[in-house]
Short mmCIF file of all heavy atoms in Angstrom, two decimals:
data_model
loop_
_atom_site.label_atom_id
_atom_site.label_comp_id
_atom_site.label_asym_id
_atom_site.label_seq_id
_atom_site.Cartn_x
_atom_site.Cartn_y
_atom_site.Cartn_z
N ARG A 31 -16.59 -1.65 7.35
CA ARG A 31 -15.88 -1.45 8.57
C ARG A 31 -14.47 -1.84 8.50
O ARG A 31 -13.69 -1.56 9.33
CB ARG A 31 -16.64 -2.28 9.58
CG ARG A 31 -18.03 -1.84 9.88
CD ARG A 31 -18.61 -2.58 10.95
NE ARG A 31 -18.00 -2.56 12.25
CZ ARG A 31 -18.16 -3.20 13.37
NH1 ARG A 31 -19.14 -4.13 13.24
NH2 ARG A 31 -17.48 -3.05 14.42
N ALA A 32 -14.03 -2.45 7.45
CA ALA A 32 -12.63 -3.09 7.35
C ALA A 32 -11.65 -1.94 7.53
O ALA A 32 -10.63 -2.14 8.32
CB ALA A 32 -12.44 -3.76 5.98
N PHE A 33 -11.88 -0.79 6.96
CA PHE A 33 -10.84 0.18 6.96
C PHE A 33 -10.59 0.66 8.48
O PHE A 33 -9.45 0.97 8.85
CB PHE A 33 -11.39 1.36 6.21
CG PHE A 33 -10.40 2.63 6.27
CD1 PHE A 33 -9.34 2.58 5.44
CD2 PHE A 33 -10.69 3.71 6.98
CE1 PHE A 33 -8.43 3.71 5.41
CE2 PHE A 33 -9.75 4.83 6.92
CZ PHE A 33 -8.69 4.85 6.12
N ASN A 34 -11.58 0.57 9.23
CA ASN A 34 -11.49 1.05 10.65
C ASN A 34 -10.92 0.07 11.60
O ASN A 34 -10.83 0.22 12.79
CB ASN A 34 -12.84 1.58 11.13
CG ASN A 34 -13.20 2.89 10.47
OD1 ASN A 34 -12.44 3.57 9.89
ND2 ASN A 34 -14.60 3.03 10.32
N TYR A 35 -10.38 -1.13 11.10
CA TYR A 35 -9.73 -2.13 11.99
C TYR A 35 -8.19 -1.85 11.79
O TYR A 35 -7.46 -2.45 12.44
CB TYR A 35 -10.01 -3.37 11.42
CG TYR A 35 -11.45 -3.86 11.66
CD1 TYR A 35 -12.09 -4.77 10.68
CD2 TYR A 35 -12.17 -3.46 12.67
CE1 TYR A 35 -13.38 -5.18 10.98
CE2 TYR A 35 -13.36 -3.95 12.97
CZ TYR A 35 -14.17 -4.76 12.07
OH TYR A 35 -15.32 -5.17 12.33
N TYR A 36 -7.82 -0.77 10.93
CA TYR A 36 -6.33 -0.61 10.76
C TYR A 36 -5.85 0.69 11.22
O TYR A 36 -6.47 1.71 11.11
CB TYR A 36 -6.11 -0.64 9.21
CG TYR A 36 -6.32 -2.08 8.60
CD1 TYR A 36 -7.56 -2.47 8.16
CD2 TYR A 36 -5.22 -2.95 8.49
CE1 TYR A 36 -7.84 -3.68 7.60
CE2 TYR A 36 -5.50 -4.20 7.94
CZ TYR A 36 -6.87 -4.51 7.44
OH TYR A 36 -6.98 -5.82 6.98
N SER A 37 -4.56 0.64 11.80
CA SER A 37 -3.87 1.86 11.96
C SER A 37 -3.39 2.45 10.63
O SER A 37 -3.21 1.55 9.61
CB SER A 37 -2.52 1.66 12.80
OG SER A 37 -2.69 1.27 14.08
N ILE A 38 -3.40 3.61 10.45
CA ILE A 38 -3.05 4.25 9.23
C ILE A 38 -1.70 5.07 9.54
O ILE A 38 -1.62 5.82 10.46
CB ILE A 38 -4.06 5.08 8.62
CG1 ILE A 38 -5.41 4.41 8.32
CG2 ILE A 38 -3.64 5.90 7.39
CD1 ILE A 38 -5.16 3.25 7.29
N VAL A 39 -0.81 4.96 8.63
CA VAL A 39 0.45 5.72 8.56
C VAL A 39 0.63 6.45 7.43
O VAL A 39 0.32 6.09 6.28
CB VAL A 39 1.71 4.71 8.76
CG1 VAL A 39 3.03 5.41 8.86
CG2 VAL A 39 1.49 3.68 9.87
N TRP A 40 1.02 7.76 7.58
CA TRP A 40 1.49 8.56 6.43
C TRP A 40 2.99 8.41 6.33
O TRP A 40 3.80 8.75 7.44
CB TRP A 40 1.05 9.99 6.73
CG TRP A 40 -0.43 10.23 6.50
CD1 TRP A 40 -1.43 10.36 7.32
CD2 TRP A 40 -1.06 10.46 5.10
NE1 TRP A 40 -2.66 10.65 6.71
CE2 TRP A 40 -2.41 10.63 5.45
CE3 TRP A 40 -0.46 10.39 3.92
CZ2 TRP A 40 -3.25 10.82 4.36
CZ3 TRP A 40 -1.45 10.72 2.75
CH2 TRP A 40 -2.80 10.91 3.04
N LEU A 41 3.46 8.16 5.16
CA LEU A 41 4.90 8.17 4.83
C LEU A 41 5.10 9.05 3.71
O LEU A 41 4.15 9.38 2.92
CB LEU A 41 5.33 6.72 4.44
CG LEU A 41 4.96 5.55 5.43
CD1 LEU A 41 3.74 4.96 5.12
CD2 LEU A 41 6.09 4.67 5.59
N ARG A 42 6.35 9.47 3.46
CA ARG A 42 6.79 10.21 2.34
C ARG A 42 8.12 9.88 1.87
O ARG A 42 8.96 9.26 2.58
CB ARG A 42 6.74 11.76 2.62
CG ARG A 42 7.76 12.05 3.67
CD ARG A 42 7.61 13.67 3.96
NE ARG A 42 8.60 14.11 4.98
CZ ARG A 42 8.69 15.23 5.55
NH1 ARG A 42 7.68 16.17 5.38
NH2 ARG A 42 9.60 15.47 6.39
N GLN A 43 8.32 10.23 0.49
CA GLN A 43 9.54 9.93 -0.06
C GLN A 43 9.90 11.03 -0.96
O GLN A 43 9.22 11.32 -1.93
CB GLN A 43 9.52 8.65 -0.94
CG GLN A 43 10.81 8.22 -1.38
CD GLN A 43 10.89 6.66 -1.94
OE1 GLN A 43 9.86 6.11 -2.17
NE2 GLN A 43 12.04 6.25 -1.99
N ALA A 44 11.02 11.69 -0.58
CA ALA A 44 11.56 12.76 -1.27
C ALA A 44 12.53 12.28 -2.30
O ALA A 44 13.03 11.24 -2.13
CB ALA A 44 12.27 13.78 -0.28
N PRO A 45 12.73 13.06 -3.36
CA PRO A 45 13.62 12.64 -4.43
C PRO A 45 14.98 12.30 -3.89
O PRO A 45 15.62 13.08 -3.09
CB PRO A 45 13.77 13.88 -5.35
CG PRO A 45 12.42 14.57 -5.07
CD PRO A 45 12.09 14.41 -3.65
N GLY A 46 15.47 11.18 -4.21
CA GLY A 46 16.79 10.77 -3.72
C GLY A 46 16.98 10.29 -2.33
O GLY A 46 18.01 10.13 -1.78
N LYS A 47 15.79 10.22 -1.64
CA LYS A 47 15.90 9.80 -0.15
C LYS A 47 15.00 8.64 0.00
O LYS A 47 14.12 8.22 -0.78
CB LYS A 47 15.36 11.08 0.70
CG LYS A 47 16.18 12.20 0.61
CD LYS A 47 15.77 13.19 1.64
CE LYS A 47 16.71 14.44 1.70
NZ LYS A 47 16.27 15.39 2.69
N GLU A 48 15.28 7.95 1.24
CA GLU A 48 14.42 6.83 1.58
C GLU A 48 13.00 7.23 2.08
O GLU A 48 12.84 8.36 2.60
CB GLU A 48 15.20 6.15 2.79
CG GLU A 48 16.47 5.56 2.54
CD GLU A 48 16.40 4.41 1.57
OE1 GLU A 48 15.58 3.55 1.79
OE2 GLU A 48 17.22 4.31 0.79
N ARG A 49 12.16 6.35 1.93
CA ARG A 49 10.82 6.60 2.42
C ARG A 49 10.82 6.67 3.91
O ARG A 49 11.46 5.81 4.56
CB ARG A 49 9.87 5.44 1.88
CG ARG A 49 8.47 5.68 2.17
CD ARG A 49 7.64 4.63 1.58
NE ARG A 49 7.61 4.53 0.28
CZ ARG A 49 7.16 3.68 -0.55
NH1 ARG A 49 6.52 2.69 -0.07
NH2 ARG A 49 7.35 3.79 -1.85
N GLU A 50 10.17 7.65 4.58
CA GLU A 50 10.12 7.73 5.95
C GLU A 50 8.64 7.87 6.38
O GLU A 50 7.74 8.57 5.89
CB GLU A 50 10.84 9.05 6.36
CG GLU A 50 10.28 10.35 5.75
CD GLU A 50 11.04 11.57 6.36
OE1 GLU A 50 11.66 11.54 7.36
OE2 GLU A 50 10.77 12.69 5.91
N GLY A 51 8.41 7.25 7.46
CA GLY A 51 7.05 7.41 8.16
C GLY A 51 7.09 8.72 8.92
O GLY A 51 8.10 9.06 9.65
N ILE A 52 5.95 9.53 8.87
CA ILE A 52 5.83 10.80 9.53
C ILE A 52 4.78 11.00 10.55
O ILE A 52 5.04 11.70 11.52
CB ILE A 52 5.93 11.91 8.47
CG1 ILE A 52 4.58 11.74 7.63
CG2 ILE A 52 7.16 12.11 7.70
CD1 ILE A 52 4.39 12.97 6.69
N SER A 53 3.86 10.22 10.39
CA SER A 53 2.71 10.37 11.40
C SER A 53 1.85 9.12 11.19
O SER A 53 1.73 8.45 10.10
CB SER A 53 1.84 11.65 11.09
OG SER A 53 0.84 11.74 12.08
N CYS A 54 1.11 8.85 12.26
CA CYS A 54 0.25 7.61 12.29
C CYS A 54 -0.89 7.79 13.37
O CYS A 54 -0.79 8.49 14.26
CB CYS A 54 0.99 6.28 12.55
SG CYS A 54 2.15 6.30 13.85
N ILE A 55 -1.80 6.95 13.19
CA ILE A 55 -2.95 7.04 13.99
C ILE A 55 -3.59 5.51 14.24
O ILE A 55 -3.52 4.76 13.32
CB ILE A 55 -4.14 7.93 13.51
CG1 ILE A 55 -5.26 8.27 14.42
CG2 ILE A 55 -4.64 7.48 12.13
CD1 ILE A 55 -6.05 9.42 14.05
N THR A 56 -4.08 5.26 15.40
CA THR A 56 -4.58 3.91 15.62
C THR A 56 -5.86 3.70 15.05
O THR A 56 -6.60 4.61 14.44
CB THR A 56 -4.77 3.75 17.09
OG1 THR A 56 -5.36 4.84 17.70
CG2 THR A 56 -3.42 3.56 17.79
N ASP A 57 -6.42 2.45 15.00
CA ASP A 57 -7.66 2.14 14.23
C ASP A 57 -8.81 2.98 14.84
O ASP A 57 -9.75 3.36 14.12
CB ASP A 57 -7.88 0.67 14.30
CG ASP A 57 -7.89 0.12 15.82
OD1 ASP A 57 -7.54 0.93 16.80
OD2 ASP A 57 -8.26 -1.12 15.90
N ASP A 58 -8.74 3.30 16.21
CA ASP A 58 -9.99 3.89 16.78
C ASP A 58 -9.67 5.36 16.96
O ASP A 58 -10.49 6.21 17.45
CB ASP A 58 -10.27 3.33 18.16
CG ASP A 58 -9.10 3.44 19.04
OD1 ASP A 58 -8.04 3.95 18.67
OD2 ASP A 58 -9.20 2.82 20.25
N GLY A 59 -8.51 5.84 16.39
CA GLY A 59 -8.24 7.38 16.45
C GLY A 59 -7.78 7.85 17.72
O GLY A 59 -7.71 8.99 17.96
N THR A 60 -7.62 7.09 18.75
CA THR A 60 -7.36 7.60 20.03
C THR A 60 -6.00 7.91 20.28
O THR A 60 -5.51 8.65 21.23
CB THR A 60 -7.75 6.62 21.24
OG1 THR A 60 -7.13 5.40 20.86
CG2 THR A 60 -9.33 6.34 21.04
N LYS A 61 -4.99 7.30 19.52
CA LYS A 61 -3.62 7.56 19.69
C LYS A 61 -2.93 8.01 18.43
O LYS A 61 -3.30 7.48 17.26
CB LYS A 61 -2.84 6.30 20.19
CG LYS A 61 -3.28 5.93 21.60
CD LYS A 61 -2.36 4.79 22.21
CE LYS A 61 -2.69 3.43 21.37
NZ LYS A 61 -2.01 2.34 21.98
N THR A 62 -2.06 8.90 18.50
CA THR A 62 -1.29 9.41 17.29
C THR A 62 0.13 9.52 17.70
O THR A 62 0.55 9.53 18.80
CB THR A 62 -1.85 10.79 16.96
OG1 THR A 62 -1.68 11.69 17.97
CG2 THR A 62 -3.35 10.80 16.51
N TYR A 63 0.93 9.57 16.60
CA TYR A 63 2.27 9.83 16.73
C TYR A 63 2.99 10.64 15.62
O TYR A 63 2.43 10.59 14.56
CB TYR A 63 3.11 8.48 16.79
CG TYR A 63 4.56 8.65 17.18
CD1 TYR A 63 4.88 8.59 18.50
CD2 TYR A 63 5.48 8.69 16.28
CE1 TYR A 63 6.29 8.76 18.87
CE2 TYR A 63 6.88 8.91 16.50
CZ TYR A 63 7.18 8.86 17.84
OH TYR A 63 8.49 9.07 18.09
N TYR A 64 3.90 11.49 15.96
CA TYR A 64 4.53 12.32 15.00
C TYR A 64 5.94 12.30 15.03
O TYR A 64 6.60 12.29 16.13
CB TYR A 64 4.19 13.76 15.24
CG TYR A 64 2.67 14.16 15.04
CD1 TYR A 64 1.78 13.98 16.22
CD2 TYR A 64 1.99 14.34 13.88
CE1 TYR A 64 0.47 14.25 16.24
CE2 TYR A 64 0.64 14.56 13.80
CZ TYR A 64 -0.12 14.45 14.87
OH TYR A 64 -1.46 14.71 14.81
N ARG A 65 6.66 12.21 13.86
CA ARG A 65 8.09 12.24 13.89
C ARG A 65 8.55 13.71 14.10
O ARG A 65 7.77 14.71 13.81
CB ARG A 65 8.63 11.71 12.54
CG ARG A 65 8.38 10.29 12.26
CD ARG A 65 9.31 9.40 13.17
NE ARG A 65 9.26 8.08 12.90
CZ ARG A 65 9.98 7.45 11.75
NH1 ARG A 65 10.82 8.28 11.19
NH2 ARG A 65 9.91 6.12 11.66
N ASN A 66 9.73 13.83 14.58
CA ASN A 66 10.17 15.22 14.85
C ASN A 66 10.13 16.18 13.64
O ASN A 66 9.87 17.26 13.91
CB ASN A 66 11.64 15.24 15.42
CG ASN A 66 11.75 14.66 16.85
OD1 ASN A 66 10.71 14.65 17.57
ND2 ASN A 66 12.89 14.19 17.13
N ALA A 67 10.35 15.66 12.60
CA ALA A 67 10.40 16.50 11.29
C ALA A 67 9.03 17.35 11.02
O ALA A 67 8.98 18.31 10.45
CB ALA A 67 10.64 15.78 10.04
N VAL A 68 7.98 16.70 11.51
CA VAL A 68 6.62 17.41 11.33
C VAL A 68 5.83 17.68 12.57
O VAL A 68 4.79 18.35 12.44
CB VAL A 68 5.76 16.27 10.46
CG1 VAL A 68 6.46 15.92 9.27
CG2 VAL A 68 5.28 15.15 11.14
N LYS A 69 6.40 17.43 13.68
CA LYS A 69 5.75 17.58 14.96
C LYS A 69 5.50 19.13 15.17
O LYS A 69 6.39 19.97 14.93
CB LYS A 69 6.66 17.13 16.17
CG LYS A 69 5.87 16.99 17.43
CD LYS A 69 6.77 16.35 18.50
CE LYS A 69 7.08 14.98 18.19
NZ LYS A 69 7.92 14.34 19.33
N GLY A 70 4.28 19.41 15.50
CA GLY A 70 3.99 20.93 15.63
C GLY A 70 3.40 21.55 14.45
O GLY A 70 2.83 22.65 14.45
N ARG A 71 3.63 20.93 13.28
CA ARG A 71 3.18 21.49 12.01
C ARG A 71 2.07 20.67 11.34
O ARG A 71 1.24 21.21 10.69
CB ARG A 71 4.45 21.59 11.00
CG ARG A 71 5.51 22.50 11.56
CD ARG A 71 6.54 22.78 10.49
NE ARG A 71 7.11 21.51 10.07
CZ ARG A 71 7.06 21.02 8.76
NH1 ARG A 71 6.60 21.82 7.74
NH2 ARG A 71 7.75 19.88 8.45
N PHE A 72 2.27 19.33 11.53
CA PHE A 72 1.21 18.46 10.88
C PHE A 72 0.22 17.87 11.97
O PHE A 72 0.71 17.68 13.06
CB PHE A 72 1.91 17.32 10.05
CG PHE A 72 2.68 17.71 8.95
CD1 PHE A 72 2.90 19.01 8.68
CD2 PHE A 72 3.21 16.71 8.10
CE1 PHE A 72 3.61 19.31 7.57
CE2 PHE A 72 3.98 17.01 7.07
CZ PHE A 72 4.23 18.32 6.72
N THR A 73 -0.94 17.63 11.57
CA THR A 73 -2.07 17.06 12.47
C THR A 73 -2.66 15.89 11.78
O THR A 73 -3.21 16.08 10.65
CB THR A 73 -2.97 17.98 13.00
OG1 THR A 73 -2.38 19.08 13.60
CG2 THR A 73 -3.95 17.44 13.93
N ILE A 74 -2.69 14.74 12.36
CA ILE A 74 -3.39 13.59 11.70
C ILE A 74 -4.69 13.41 12.60
O ILE A 74 -4.83 13.70 13.73
CB ILE A 74 -2.48 12.39 11.78
CG1 ILE A 74 -3.19 11.21 11.02
CG2 ILE A 74 -2.34 11.90 13.24
CD1 ILE A 74 -2.21 9.94 10.82
N SER A 75 -5.74 13.04 11.76
CA SER A 75 -7.09 12.84 12.42
C SER A 75 -7.75 11.76 11.64
O SER A 75 -7.35 11.50 10.45
CB SER A 75 -7.78 14.20 12.53
OG SER A 75 -8.13 14.67 11.15
N ARG A 76 -8.83 11.30 12.27
CA ARG A 76 -9.57 10.17 11.56
C ARG A 76 -11.13 10.44 11.69
O ARG A 76 -11.49 10.57 12.76
CB ARG A 76 -9.13 8.95 12.25
CG ARG A 76 -9.70 7.75 11.65
CD ARG A 76 -8.93 6.37 12.11
NE ARG A 76 -9.18 5.36 11.21
CZ ARG A 76 -8.43 4.35 10.97
NH1 ARG A 76 -7.25 4.23 11.74
NH2 ARG A 76 -8.63 3.41 10.20
N ASP A 77 -11.69 10.22 10.65
CA ASP A 77 -13.19 10.29 10.58
C ASP A 77 -13.76 8.89 10.32
O ASP A 77 -13.71 8.36 9.08
CB ASP A 77 -13.74 11.30 9.51
CG ASP A 77 -15.17 11.63 9.58
OD1 ASP A 77 -15.84 10.59 10.06
OD2 ASP A 77 -15.62 12.61 9.14
N LEU A 78 -14.21 8.19 11.35
CA LEU A 78 -14.47 6.86 11.28
C LEU A 78 -15.71 6.65 10.33
O LEU A 78 -15.84 5.67 9.68
CB LEU A 78 -14.75 6.31 12.61
CG LEU A 78 -13.51 6.14 13.55
CD1 LEU A 78 -13.99 5.62 14.96
CD2 LEU A 78 -12.53 5.25 13.03
#
């Protein structure tokens, strides 16, 4: 069960650029957030 106590964030790092967070989801999967760069194109989900 430990994994499901944590929010999970997806980050990415392109060559020559800083690492950026792009999407995240809460431990229970009820809340999500997207950065503008990926909003409308990426979908985060969680299978507990």
Side-chain angles (χ1 to χ4, degrees):
R31 297 179 61 186
F33 179 78
N34 294 333
Y35 292 148
Y36 292 87
S37 289
I38 299 297
V39 182
W40 283 102
L41 306 98
R42 67 185 181 186
Q43 187 164 19
K47 294 189 177 181
E48 296 288 319
R49 188 176 294 172
E50 61 171 346
I52 56 171
S53 184
C54 50
I55 190 166
T56 50
D57 56 353
D58 60 2
T60 59
K61 293 189 288 183
T62 61
Y63 187 84
Y64 300 92
R65 293 288 189 85
N66 286 339
V68 304
K69 194 177 293 183
R71 300 188 298 124
F72 292 9
T73 302
I74 192 170
S75 61
R76 185 165 200 152
D77 186 332
L78 297 173

